[in-house]
Amino acid sequence: MTKNVRVRFAPSPTGPLHIGGVRTALFNYLFAKKHKGTFVLRIEDTDQTRYVEGAEQYIIDALNWCGMPFDEGPTEATLSTSTGNYGPYRQSERKTLYKKYADMLIASGNAYYAFDTAEELDFHRKDHEAKGKTFIYNWHNRLKLKNSLSLSTEETQAKIDAGEDYVIRFKSPQNQTLHLKDIIRGDIKIDTNILDDKVLFKSDGMPTYHLANIVDDHLMEITHVIRGEEWLPSLALHYQLYEAFGWEAPEFAHLPLILKPTGKGKLSKRDGDKMGFPVFPLEWTDPKTNEVSRGYKEDGYFPEAMVNFLAFLGWNPGTEQEIFSMDELIAAFDLNKVNKSGARFDPDKTKWFNHHYMQEQNDAILAEQFKPIVDENLNVIASETKQSHPNEEITTSQAPRNDIDIEYISLVIGLIKERATFVHDFWDLGHFFFTAPTAYDEKASKKAFKDDTAEILKKVKDLILHIDDFTVTALQKDIKGWITSNDIGFGKVMMPLRLALVGALQGPDVFDIMFMIGKNETVKRIDNVIKVL
């Protein structure tokens, strides 16, 4: 590419950022970094009636959490490092620019003033419907309507001077065929006779999306517009606006929709609520209703996992590789490998990615995240134990451990994380490392507890008490040796021993559990189960 690549992500601050928007930002980011270009964040907030407090900061926080920091945007840090005079990066701070460009289109004959009221336009729509027709404001009827093409110059100016409400509409050409290009969708032909004269500017001094978008992209020297499929119907107008201004148009690429898990229809928040998964990167609290929407971060997803699964929603590297770091995505990304058809969202696949990244995480870092969950659960257990035994002294083996440190938690995680998808899974997978079982799985007990189980466990306990070198190796050697020398089935010993330690037939190696909880705790748990046999 001969030009320095400049792309922009241009969301509206009307609420939380949907993962479809995050996917759009990701593809822009990957493309920019692949070509050593610039990733711009522009906030499109011209419609102040839909502005939501906190939404802009949410967008910035979401991009940063995903590892996609923008090079230029509305923050002080990026303004000070911008490579050119491209700001401001909020459209509301650029509104004085747009009237000049709207006037340029009026002067060149590519746009005109229209004074039709909403009531008048509604009348025309209903009148056309009654006749089995569709009302389109364009060459078919513009001379029959109230605008500067049907009025004299003097009449038009008089209305403007009188403060009459008006809009500026683009004058869509008649009997032309537009030949448009899209990197993903190829060549597109559009008959201009079916296009309406879109509103570009309103009498309140604010541009519509179409005018502001084109002017900003031109002034910010955007080379590639990578956006969602929903903007494809606007492509014809945007190409015509570039032509009307005499500007070189950027290259366009319209990304496929992200579809519901069923594959039918666009993914929505309702789908997430119904099927139990978030559709926003971060948790969002609606400032008006205080309704809380779930976020991938708060649900326990790693940002690397989210980026990885979003990359595959519409893009295919052409290889069998599925796990990509951000650097690997940047190196492999190619807009020509983005599909035209919609990409079905698969909640189970997102969990698969997160499970993979869980295994890659440092145990010490995971321990820091898991410790609050441990503390919370232990506090609940302590409170419930006290309430259920108000007049009894709780034995050490019944009480939860209160000496848990990060190093211990880290070791526990190393033993159980292979089966975990989220940090909050650790408690279910390893609660017995922190507190003794108070009940024993009924089905497992029927299978493991026999008439001679109590006597066997007493002998195992005695053996354990005489093991001085309380290590996994020594425990395994002595206990397995004892079982073999006494010609006892391993299941008759190991199953009840596991139930005593865990409360169920689950968990990592029994000898690892014994080593972790220590000799005293191991003996106490065996005593507990002997009491109920």
Side-chain angles (χ1 to χ4, degrees):
M1 296 186 180
T2 55
K3 285 186 177 181
N4 292 328
V5 167
R6 289 178 58 81
V7 299
R8 49 64 167 183
F9 176 54
S12 298
T14 56
L17 185 62
H18 188 277
I19 59 169
V22 181
R23 196 272 308 265
T24 297
L26 173 62
F27 282 22
N28 274 277
Y29 179 84
L30 295 176
F31 185 81
K33 299 309 168 185
K34 173 72 175 280
H35 298 286
K36 296 179 171 49
T38 303
F39 176 51
V40 179
L41 174 65
R42 186 173 73 225
I43 302 297
E44 301 202 337
D45 59 347
T46 52
D47 189 351
Q48 289 292 298
T49 61
R50 298 179 62 223
Y51 176 83
V52 174
E53 189 70 33
E56 179 183 316
Q57 188 59 50
Y58 177 97
I59 292 166
I60 294 171
D61 291 343
L63 293 178
N64 287 335
W65 179 70
C66 291
M68 301 185 291
F70 48 90
D71 302 304
E72 296 175 19
T75 61
E76 290 298 325
T78 55
L79 287 173
S80 64
T81 58
S82 175
T83 56
N85 185 24
Y86 298 110
Y89 294 93
R90 297 183 186 92
Q91 282 189 338
S92 60
E93 297 172 3
R94 300 171 63 86
K95 60 184 180 181
T96 56
L97 294 170
Y98 306 118
K99 181 62 165 65
K100 177 180 73 171
Y101 291 96
D103 289 342
M104 286 172 60
L105 293 174
I106 291 281
S108 65
N110 288 293
Y112 58 93
Y113 296 103
F115 301 94
D116 313 275
T117 65
E119 292 76 17
E120 288 169 339
L121 292 175
D122 188 54
F123 168 80
H124 287 296
R125 289 190 191 94
K126 290 178 178 178
D127 181 58
H128 275 66
E129 286 175 7
K131 297 173 181 177
K133 299 179 181 179
T134 300
F135 174 71
I136 304 176
Y137 201 130
N138 64 3
W139 63 275
H140 282 98
N141 47 38
R142 57 170 81 109
L143 292 180
K144 303 173 185 177
L145 300 168
K146 195 187 303 181
N147 55 60
S148 58
L149 299 178
S150 62
L151 300 170
S152 68
T153 303
E154 292 76 18
E155 289 174 315
T156 299
Q157 191 59 50
K159 286 180 176 295
I160 294 172
D161 292 342
E164 191 168 327
D165 285 345
Y166 67 86
V167 297
I168 295 177
R169 289 181 178 271
F170 182 74
K171 187 180 178 183
S172 186
Q174 182 181 353
N175 298 329
Q176 291 185 18
T177 299
L178 300 178
H179 295 272
L180 315 178
K181 291 186 179 295
D182 186 276
I183 296 172
I184 296 170
R185 295 159 197 281
D187 295 332
I188 301 171
K189 291 183 180 180
I190 299 290
D191 179 3
T192 61
N193 289 331
I194 66 171
L195 301 177
D196 58 344
D197 293 352
K198 293 289 188 185
V199 174
L200 302 178
F201 200 84
K202 297 171 285 186
S203 57
D204 63 1
M206 293 299 287
T208 62
Y209 165 82
H210 302 292
L211 179 64
N213 180 274
I214 296 304
V215 170
D216 287 345
D217 282 349
H218 173 71
L219 295 180
M220 291 183 178
E221 299 182 14
I222 299 302
T223 61
H224 297 77
V225 173
I226 304 168
R227 60 190 181 185
E229 181 180 303
E230 61 269 24
W231 295 111
L232 197 56
S234 302
L235 184 60
L237 173 61
H238 294 180
Y239 257 106
Q240 290 180 95
L241 283 170
Y242 277 104
E243 189 175 73
F245 282 120
W247 297 338
E248 181 182 357
E251 294 189 58
F252 288 90
H254 289 83
L255 307 176
L257 293 176
I258 298 179
L259 304 177
K260 301 172 184 285
T262 60
K264 297 179 180 179
K266 186 178 178 180
L267 181 70
S268 69
K269 179 178 180 297
R270 184 176 297 176
D271 298 312
D273 293 340
K274 183 178 179 180
M275 300 183 67
F277 61 85
V279 297
F280 304 125
L282 310 177
E283 185 177 271
W284 168 260
T285 302
D286 189 302
K288 294 181 179 178
T289 65
N290 288 321
E291 178 187 359
V292 178
S293 298
R294 294 164 57 184
Y296 277 92
K297 177 183 178 182
E298 291 74 16
D299 266 25
Y301 284 84
F302 300 107
E304 300 91 343
M306 183 174 179
V307 165
N308 208 147
F309 82 70
L310 281 180
F312 276 84
L313 290 179
W315 172 76
N316 189 322
T319 67
E320 295 300 314
Q321 182 178 350
E322 290 189 277
I323 302 300
F324 285 81
S325 67
M326 183 68 86
D327 287 342
E328 288 173 328
L329 283 173
I330 291 168
F333 187 73
D334 186 343
L335 282 173
N336 291 311
K337 293 181 179 178
V338 175
N339 302 318
K340 299 178 186 178
S341 56
R344 185 177 69 85
F345 181 84
D346 184 351
D348 291 333
K349 192 66 174 182
T350 66
K351 292 179 180 179
W352 180 86
F353 276 110
N354 211 62
H355 174 79
H356 169 82
Y357 282 98
M358 169 69 78
Q359 311 316 309
E360 300 292 313
Q361 297 296 312
N362 181 280
D363 292 347
I365 294 175
L366 292 174
E368 293 286 353
Q369 299 173 30
F370 182 43
K371 191 175 189 308
I373 298 174
V374 173
D375 293 341
E376 180 182 358
N377 277 283
L378 293 183
N379 287 334
V380 169
I381 292 170
S383 176
E384 290 176 348
T385 303
K386 189 174 181 180
Q387 289 177 13
S388 60
H389 301 82
N391 300 315
E392 297 179 27
E393 183 179 346
I394 307 303
T395 66
T396 306
S397 60
Q398 292 173 311
R401 296 187 55 160
N402 57 8
D403 60 343
I404 311 301
D405 58 29
I406 288 295
E407 288 75 15
Y408 180 82
I409 295 175
S410 181
L411 291 172
V412 169
I413 287 172
L415 293 172
I416 62 176
K417 79 173 184 180
E418 186 178 349
R419 296 179 58 203
T421 299
F422 304 103
V423 170
H424 55 72
D425 291 340
F426 291 152
W427 182 257
D428 285 340
L429 292 171
H431 56 86
F432 45 85
F433 284 107
F434 308 100
T435 183
T438 56
Y440 305 98
D441 181 84
E442 184 177 351
K443 185 176 179 180
S445 297
K446 290 179 180 179
K447 182 179 181 181
F449 294 157
K450 308 299 181 184
D451 293 340
D452 57 350
T453 297
E455 287 303 315
I456 290 174
L457 288 180
K458 287 177 183 177
K459 292 176 181 178
V460 172
K461 183 186 81 169
D462 186 62
L463 177 63
I464 291 171
L465 286 170
H466 288 86
I467 297 176
D468 295 326
D469 182 22
F470 201 77
T471 62
V472 172
T473 302
L475 286 165
Q476 192 173 42
K477 175 178 174 292
D478 289 4
I479 293 176
K480 284 187 174 182
W482 178 82
I483 293 172
T484 302
S485 63
N486 285 275
D487 197 25
I488 305 174
F490 272 80
K492 290 193 69 174
V493 178
M494 299 306 292
M495 281 200 297
L497 182 56
R498 180 178 290 278
L499 272 173
L501 301 174
V502 177
L505 296 179
Q506 68 178 59
D509 188 87
V510 168
F511 303 110
D512 284 324
I513 298 173
M514 293 167 67
F515 170 73
M516 288 294 292
I517 65 177
K519 180 188 287 190
N520 290 340
E521 184 66 19
T522 297
V523 169
K524 287 168 185 172
R525 293 190 187 187
I526 293 173
D527 281 336
N528 286 345
V529 82
I530 289 173
K531 291 175 184 177
V532 301
L533 291 174

